Amino acid sequence: MGFDPNTEKPEIDFPGDNPPSELVLEDIWEGDGATAEPGNIIKAHYVGVSWSTGEEFDASWNRGEPLEFQVGVGQVIPGWDQGLLGMKVGGRRKITIPPHLGYGERGAGAAIKPNETLIFVVDLVSTNKPGAGRSFGIR
């Protein structure tokens, strides 16, 4: 079946007092499509909040289109590279990322302070091997 285009932007509840020191993955629902593997080109909708404030700092939903990138090869923060592998298209996963797998001591501008734990809820829209469909004008 894959990703349901009628899926709505998720809400992330305020996380609590003590952030985890390791990556935490929680499947909210498991998809039934293809599985994200290292090197795949994926499209993912997401909402990101800071642990310390519970405030949203970014969401692809607000831009109306999913983020596209190659997973597992360092194009995104390590928490995303590790946290999305094995996820199936159509699934929704909550990924809690400690600072050492996020933006660490440098933070990310005004949006993410140094040593911030991040929480993302990610919907996997699609996953394809690099170059898949190019000869047919699909990619």
Side-chain angles (χ1 to χ4, degrees):
M1 179 168 171
F3 179 75
D4 180 355
N6 295 316
T7 301
E8 295 185 9
K9 179 181 173 182
E11 301 262 335
I12 301 176
D13 295 328
F14 192 79
D17 295 330
N18 299 311
S21 59
E22 297 301 322
L23 186 67
V24 177
L25 308 178
E26 175 189 337
D27 284 324
I28 297 170
W29 63 71
E30 189 172 327
D32 58 4
T35 301
E37 298 175 357
N40 283 14
I41 305 296
I42 70 165
K43 288 185 180 181
H45 260 310
Y46 65 91
V47 174
V49 302
S50 297
W51 181 284
S52 65
T53 65
E55 295 293 318
E56 180 181 306
F57 58 80
D58 191 18
S60 64
W61 294 94
N62 299 345
R63 292 184 293 281
E65 65 180 64
L67 177 66
E68 182 176 358
F69 64 96
Q70 191 171 13
V71 70
V73 298
Q75 289 186 351
V76 292
I77 58 175
W80 265 55
D81 265 347
Q82 295 172 28
L84 295 174
L85 295 177
M87 189 174 176
K88 292 182 179 181
V89 171
R92 176 173 280 183
R93 181 175 283 178
K94 180 178 175 184
I95 305 171
T96 305
I97 302 174
H100 71 279
L101 295 175
Y103 294 97
E105 294 179 0
R106 72 182 188 279
I112 300 171
K113 69 180 187 176
N115 295 312
E116 182 68 71
T117 296
L118 308 173
I119 304 168
F120 289 93
V121 173
V122 181
D123 293 342
L124 188 57
V125 175
S126 68
T127 182
N128 294 293
K129 300 213 179 300
R134 284 199 179 128
S135 59
F136 298 102
I138 297 171
R139 254 209 77 60

